[in-house]
Amino acid sequence: MRKAAKTSASMFSTTTQLWHLVFGLLWLVSQRGTCGSHHEEGRYPCAFIDTVNITGSYSMGSTLNGSYIHNWTVIPKELVTPYDFVIENGIRIPANRHLRACICRLRPCVRFCCPSGKLYHLERRRCEDHPNAPGHSHMTMELHNGTQVQQELKSWFSVHVESPCDHMRAVTKDAEYLHWTLYENGSIIHREHLFTKHYCFTPLLIGKSTWSWQPLACAPEKLHFVLGVREWTYAICLLICIISMLIVLVVHLMCSDMRNSFYGVAIKAYTFCVIFGYAMLAHLTLHDPANLSTVACRILPSFTLLFLVLSFYILSFISFKLYLSFNGVVLTKLMFWLILGPIVLIAIGWSFFVGFSYHGAKLVFGGDTCWFDPRNWTVMAYFFAPIFIACAISTFFYILTLIRISEEPYIDSEKSFDYLERNRLESFWKFFSYTALIWFVFVCSFAFNYYRGEKSHLNYAVCLCTAFHGFAALYALIGKNQQIQNFLRRMENNDEDTVDNSVPMYIY
């Protein structure tokens, strides 16, 4: 009794330590996403917008306490820091290591979108020549005492010529431009409203002959929610596939021969994953991200990713199981769960990792959309790549199985184990081939939409293939499986399936 008690206490302690380890890892993953940006902000003496690249500038060494000279301006070493990134369009992008100095801490900065003699075209989003565009050597500036003077900019400011973002917009009120005032400290104000630092000046023609210097602000391209015919068609096709998978699940639950086999359990797990994954994908398609909370906008896509990726690794597991069957390897119930369990845990870990990952300065989930952003390639790295690996694993074991089958004679008897396994292999690989083809169309459709500049993962080819996925399951997993067909014939002839529900799982 004491020995049993010690064993139980030891198992409880081990289990407790394992749970502590799991929760600790999840906490670390969450901290990776929430605390990384604050850590980076503390490393640099000023905001990136207030810096200038001084790589190649002259270092005074010990002469001026390690200061640098850039454009005849002495910059203390405390304001110089090496950077390994740049910020473009508000997104942090890795770059070669270089020196940047907080030049705006020494002299007020003023920014222009285009070189002198050019203006920024708001619709074409680029600088264009204009014969009458004014230069920007002088501008009206207001002093601290309220006096407005025409000031030569380079004698007072640090002048920068570039737009901080690709897409700039003018700030208007009632379709009219505002009168912004440049102050001697570099701030731009209109009636006590301070303009953002991420700006650039451009001359705009007001009327036929009047030019006005207007500060332009960054206009990040928002991915607006659209619920049109294409989205509703996709949701309906997802529903068709869900209903088809539900029929496959019910039939496998009713058929005792499949219900109590490892193959049948794996097929049911696969249909379960597809049903839940597609249901949540339909929910995300039909609901505006603005109406979802921040937590929901990260949890829902993470679970969608979990179920859909896991479904493909269940297919890989079925392929591996069929390979073992043709090699005479008996897979016990313990071995079954020892193999399938880690697959599930890896899929869960991957979904948590993606849910807390960043693309540039934005979260993969929870930015403008609650699914992968179609304007970048995150869906390829985090979604399609794991699916491709699973398909490669399945294909590998299928080839090994075919090699093994070619070495043995074929037994033409519907009741033989070899016949049943070959029939399962045939029906399963019909379904897997259809599924792989469908998802290949998904990948091609995304790439096609991306290069066309469409801000959506969807087109009608994706919709039709989604519905076809369900029909393929009905055709291959039910129509081409001999055990399922025999069960359906018995039902049609009103024969009762007398096998008790509590029969243990078969080894095949």
Side-chain angles (χ1 to χ4, degrees), residues 225 227 283 286-294 296-297 300 368 370:
F225 175 73
L227 186 58
H283 179 83
L286 298 178
H287 286 78
D288 189 347
N291 297 330
L292 297 175
S293 66
T294 304
C297 208
L300 286 178
D368 294 342
C370 289

Side-chain angles (χ1 to χ4, degrees), residues 249-284:
L249 176 61
V250 170
V251 171
H252 278 74
L253 285 171
M254 294 174 61
C255 180
S256 58
D257 290 340
M258 298 299 293
R259 181 175 67 240
N260 300 310
S261 67
F262 291 151
Y263 175 82
V265 171
I267 290 294
K268 288 181 287 186
Y270 170 79
T271 56
F272 176 85
C273 288
V274 173
I275 289 170
F276 275 85
Y278 279 0
M280 286 189 285
L281 200 56
H283 179 83
L284 294 173

Side-chain angles (χ1 to χ4, degrees), residues 2 30 59 64 67 83 112 142 150 218-219 222 231 244 256 287 312 338 341 361 363-364 375 428 433 454 471 489 492:
R2 290 182 178 177
S30 65
S59 175
L64 287 176
S67 300
Y83 283 69
F112 292 91
E142 185 167 314
Q150 190 75 5
C218 287
K222 283 283 185 182
E231 287 71 27
S244 301
S256 58
H287 286 78
F312 275 87
L338 283 178
L363 284 163
V364 174
R375 297 168 297 183
F428 170 74
S433 300
E454 291 194 18
F471 298 143
R489 291 190 189 99
E492 187 178 356

Side-chain angles (χ1 to χ4, degrees), residues 205-477:
L205 187 60
I206 309 298
K208 294 184 178 180
S209 59
T210 304
W211 291 93
S212 172
W213 283 104
Q214 287 289 319
L216 305 183
C218 287
E221 295 188 43
K222 283 283 185 182
L223 190 65
H224 297 289
F225 175 73
V226 177
L227 186 58
V229 176
R230 183 169 54 182
E231 287 71 27
W232 276 108
T233 304
Y234 181 59
I236 293 171
C237 291
L238 285 170
L239 179 61
I240 293 173
C241 185
I242 290 171
I243 294 173
S244 301
M245 290 293 175
L246 191 60
I247 293 173
V248 174
L249 176 61
V250 170
V251 171
H252 278 74
L253 285 171
M254 294 174 61
C255 180
S256 58
D257 290 340
M258 298 299 293
R259 181 175 67 240
N260 300 310
S261 67
F262 291 151
Y263 175 82
V265 171
I267 290 294
K268 288 181 287 186
Y270 170 79
T271 56
F272 176 85
C273 288
V274 173
I275 289 170
F276 275 85
Y278 279 0
M280 286 189 285
L281 200 56
H283 179 83
L284 294 173
T285 302
L286 298 178
H287 286 78
D288 189 347
N291 297 330
L292 297 175
S293 66
T294 304
V295 175
C297 208
R298 296 175 70 176
I299 295 298
L300 286 178
S302 295
F303 274 98
T304 305
L305 177 69
L306 166 64
F307 285 119
L308 294 180
V309 170
L310 181 58
S311 68
F312 275 87
Y313 282 90
I314 291 175
L315 295 181
S316 299
F317 174 75
I318 294 174
S319 181
F320 173 67
K321 171 63 180 66
L322 291 171
Y323 167 73
L324 293 181
S325 298
F326 282 98
N327 282 272
V329 178
V330 177
L331 195 64
T332 65
K333 186 183 296 186
L334 177 62
M335 293 170 61
F336 177 88
W337 292 113
L338 283 178
I339 297 173
L340 188 60
I343 294 175
V344 176
L345 291 177
I346 292 172
I348 293 173
W350 179 252
S351 65
F352 267 96
F353 170 77
V354 177
F356 289 101
S357 293
Y358 280 80
H359 176 71
K362 294 183 178 180
L363 284 163
V364 174
F365 297 143
D368 294 342
T369 174
C370 289
W371 187 236
F372 291 103
D373 194 329
R375 297 168 297 183
N376 55 53
W377 289 86
T378 52
V379 66
M380 296 293 289
Y382 294 122
F383 188 40
F384 291 138
I387 289 175
F388 173 79
I389 294 173
C391 291
I393 294 172
S394 298
T395 305
F396 172 74
F397 284 113
Y398 177 60
I399 294 173
L400 293 182
T401 304
L402 291 180
I403 294 173
R404 179 62 179 173
I405 292 175
S406 65
E407 298 173 352
E408 294 185 353
Y410 178 68
I411 301 175
D412 189 11
S413 174
E414 292 188 6
K415 295 183 179 180
S416 68
F417 172 78
D418 182 69
Y419 176 83
L420 291 176
E421 285 299 288
R422 291 194 182 209
N423 177 256
R424 284 180 180 176
L425 178 68
E426 179 183 353
S427 65
F428 170 74
W429 274 96
K430 281 183 180 293
F431 174 69
F432 179 83
S433 300
Y434 296 146
T435 302
L437 177 61
I438 289 165
W439 281 81
F440 178 72
V441 172
F442 291 171
V443 174
C444 293
S445 296
F446 163 74
F448 182 72
N449 285 2
Y450 179 84
Y451 282 111
R452 287 184 60 189
E454 291 194 18
K455 300 170 185 177
S456 174
H457 292 282
L458 303 180
N459 54 37
Y460 289 108
V462 173
C463 300
L464 294 176
C465 285
T466 302
F468 180 71
H469 190 197
F471 298 143
L474 293 174
Y475 169 74
L477 298 180

Side-chain angles (χ1 to χ4, degrees), residues 76-298:
K77 67 176 183 178
E78 294 81 11
L79 300 181
V80 177
T81 308
Y83 283 69
D84 57 0
F85 67 91
V86 294
I87 294 180
E88 297 179 0
N89 298 309
I91 298 176
R92 174 173 170 155
I93 299 174
N96 294 329
R97 193 176 178 85
H98 61 285
L99 288 178
R100 303 192 74 90
C102 300
I103 194 72
C104 299
R105 294 272 291 271
L106 300 175
R107 302 176 70 188
C109 289
V110 63
R111 300 176 178 86
F112 292 91
C113 303
C114 308
S116 183
K118 293 186 176 184
L119 57 81
Y120 184 88
H121 198 289
L122 295 174
E123 293 182 357
R124 300 192 183 100
R125 305 179 187 178
R126 67 188 183 199
C127 294
E128 294 185 351
D129 293 315
H130 194 286
N132 299 322
H136 47 61
S137 60
H138 292 73
M139 279 186 69
T140 300
M141 178 185 74
E142 185 167 314
L143 304 179
H144 67 280
N145 58 6
T147 304
Q148 292 192 348
V149 296
Q150 190 75 5
Q151 178 67 40
E152 183 186 7
L153 295 180
K154 288 187 177 180
S155 64
W156 191 270
F157 297 98
S158 176
V159 179
H160 302 267
V161 182
E162 63 176 340
S163 59
C165 303
D166 292 337
H167 185 196
M168 307 296 294
R169 64 178 179 85
V171 178
T172 60
K173 183 178 181 180
D174 298 331
E176 293 185 0
Y177 294 111
L178 304 178
H179 178 71
W180 294 93
T181 302
L182 174 66
Y183 284 80
E184 61 179 333
N185 62 357
S187 59
I188 304 171
I189 299 176
H190 169 73
R191 294 183 179 178
E192 299 183 354
H193 292 284
L194 181 65
F195 207 84
T196 176
K197 282 186 176 182
H198 297 80
Y199 79 95
C200 62
F201 273 114
T202 187
L204 294 180
L205 187 60
I206 309 298
K208 294 184 178 180
S209 59
T210 304
W211 291 93
S212 172
W213 283 104
Q214 287 289 319
L216 305 183
C218 287
E221 295 188 43
K222 283 283 185 182
L223 190 65
H224 297 289
F225 175 73
V226 177
L227 186 58
V229 176
R230 183 169 54 182
E231 287 71 27
W232 276 108
T233 304
Y234 181 59
I236 293 171
C237 291
L238 285 170
L239 179 61
I240 293 173
C241 185
I242 290 171
I243 294 173
S244 301
M245 290 293 175
L246 191 60
I247 293 173
V248 174
L249 176 61
V250 170
V251 171
H252 278 74
L253 285 171
M254 294 174 61
C255 180
S256 58
D257 290 340
M258 298 299 293
R259 181 175 67 240
N260 300 310
S261 67
F262 291 151
Y263 175 82
V265 171
I267 290 294
K268 288 181 287 186
Y270 170 79
T271 56
F272 176 85
C273 288
V274 173
I275 289 170
F276 275 85
Y278 279 0
M280 286 189 285
L281 200 56
H283 179 83
L284 294 173
T285 302
L286 298 178
H287 286 78
D288 189 347
N291 297 330
L292 297 175
S293 66
T294 304
V295 175
C297 208
R298 296 175 70 176

